[in-house]
Structures are given as C-alpha cells and as structure tokens.
Amino acid sequence: MSENRKEIGPYEYSEQFNDTTALLVTVDKNGKPNMMTLDWKMLGNVGYEPIIAVAVATTRYTFECLKEGTKAFTVNIVSDKTSKFTNVAGSASGRNTDKFKQTGAEMIKGIKGVPTIKDSLLSYECELLGDSQIPFKSSHYAFFGKVVKAYASNEILK
Ligand SMILES: Cc1cc2nc3c(=O)[nH]c(=O)nc-3n(C[C@H](O)[C@H](O)[C@H](O)COP(=O)(O)O)c2cc1C
C-alpha cells in the first residue's frame, strides 16, 4: 500500500497545523484504536524538544484512553480526503462506536501500536509525557506529547 506521504521536520507546515482541524488517535487499554475530532492543540518547542499539547475534555472516551491506554497518541491534520471523518469522530464516542469501521478511515502503523490516518495532510506520532488540568478551562486536560515522527502528504509537498 502506498502511504502517499514523506517524513518531515516537526515544525514544517506549522501554519496548517494551527489552522486546520485534526483527528486525535489513541488506543484504549484493550489495544483498540479510537479517533476524536480535535480543534484545541498546540505545537511548540519546550526544552528544545518538539512538543504537541492536545486539550481533551474529561468526559471523552479519548481522555480514558490517554489516561489508561498506550502512552502515545497521533495527531492527524485533515485533508480534503479525510475531512469527511470529522462528523462521526466529533459526535460519536469510542465507548460504543468503532469509528474506524464506521468511517472506513484507513490506518497506517504508528508509534507503540497507535496508528496514524492514511491521507492526512500532516500526521504526528507522539510519545505521551504527561498531563495537567488546564487552569482556565478546568473541564479539559492538556496532554503533552513529544513528536517522534512527522509526515506530510504528497499533496502538500507539490
Ligand atoms: C470541530 C470539532 C472540534 C472539536 N474539538 C475538540 C477538542 O479540541 N477537545 C475536545 O475534548 N473535544 C473536541 N471536540 C468534541 C469531540 O470530538 C467529541 O466529543 C467526540 O465525540 C469525543 O469522542 P470520544 O468519546 O470517542 O473521545 C470537537 C468536536 C468537533 C466537531
């Protein structure tokens, strides 16, 4: 299967990272992947390391996956081909829906068994470092991940 993407540096195309909705992929404690639509995210340099922070409400199944599942996540910035997944990923819950099955989103193997989503504009594989409740938005926690790999689709590279 062609992955239709190339590895890039973590800060390349950061404009698209900031401006565009993402699909956050996690894996639950039974090893099952789940995706959630995500707008609140940051990419920056902390301690000279590329760090992504994602803001996840405590009510989300994704919150449970980040707390109890694999200590990694992937952030997948949507493209024209994957933006159609955001409705299901942003309304259904992984508690009772297999959103990969429902949307037909294709996975590419990623860090510690957490997949990325094929045909994303940008994808980031992150090792989960820790989390903290957001002081000014206490319904949400910020989960911090170190970017270990970043990819851009061939479309963006044209
Ligand atoms: C456009 C859009 C952006 C969203 N951004 C976030 C976000 O940044 N953080 C968050 O916790 N939920 C966000 N949500 C809500 C979750 O995606 C939604 O509650 C989802 O069903 C949670 O899935 P889960 O229970 O499988 O984790 C967003 C929803 C939409 C439609």
Side-chain angles (χ1 to χ4, degrees):
M1 175 182 77
S2 160
E3 293 188 352
N4 191 36
R5 65 183 189 176
K6 286 204 176 66
E7 197 166 342
I8 56 165
Y11 304 117
E12 287 182 75
Y13 307 103
S14 54
E15 252 175 60
Q16 277 94 334
F17 176 93
N18 287 322
D19 294 351
T20 313
T21 296
L23 294 162
L24 172 62
V25 179
T26 52
V27 163
D28 72 12
K29 59 181 181 220
N30 301 313
K32 187 177 153 219
N34 181 47
M35 62 168 147
M36 180 196 105
T37 304
L38 175 92
D39 265 347
W40 294 352
K41 55 190 165 22
M42 292 177 278
L43 166 63
N45 168 354
V46 182
Y48 306 109
E49 299 280 10
I51 302 294
I52 286 179
V54 292
V56 178
T58 54
T59 49
R60 314 286 185 238
Y61 188 58
T62 298
F63 181 84
E64 267 177 66
C65 297
L66 287 164
K67 282 287 199 185
E68 297 166 15
T70 307
K71 296 291 170 212
F73 60 82
T74 69
V75 175
N76 301 272
I77 303 299
V78 302
S79 65
D80 290 347
K81 286 184 186 159
T82 64
S83 59
K84 60 183 178 222
F85 305 142
T86 57
N87 279 348
V88 170
S91 55
S93 176
R95 281 191 191 91
N96 45 35
T97 308
D98 183 334
K99 294 191 243 180
F100 277 96
K101 221 181 222 172
Q102 187 154 331
T103 58
E106 288 182 62
M107 301 180 228
I108 300 176
K109 277 186 186 163
I111 180 173
K112 297 183 182 178
V114 184
T116 53
I117 297 175
K118 187 171 180 280
D119 294 323
S120 299
L121 194 66
L122 299 162
S123 288
Y124 302 83
E125 298 184 9
C126 301
E127 186 189 325
L128 180 59
L129 301 176
D131 61 79
S132 181
Q133 191 172 28
I134 300 175
F136 50 88
K137 186 77 186 158
S138 59
S139 54
H140 286 60
Y141 274 56
F143 289 86
F144 299 93
K146 178 175 153 183
V147 180
V148 293
K149 276 195 176 151
Y151 300 92
S153 79
N154 291 341
E155 272 82 87
I156 211 176
L157 295 166
K158 272 178 200 159

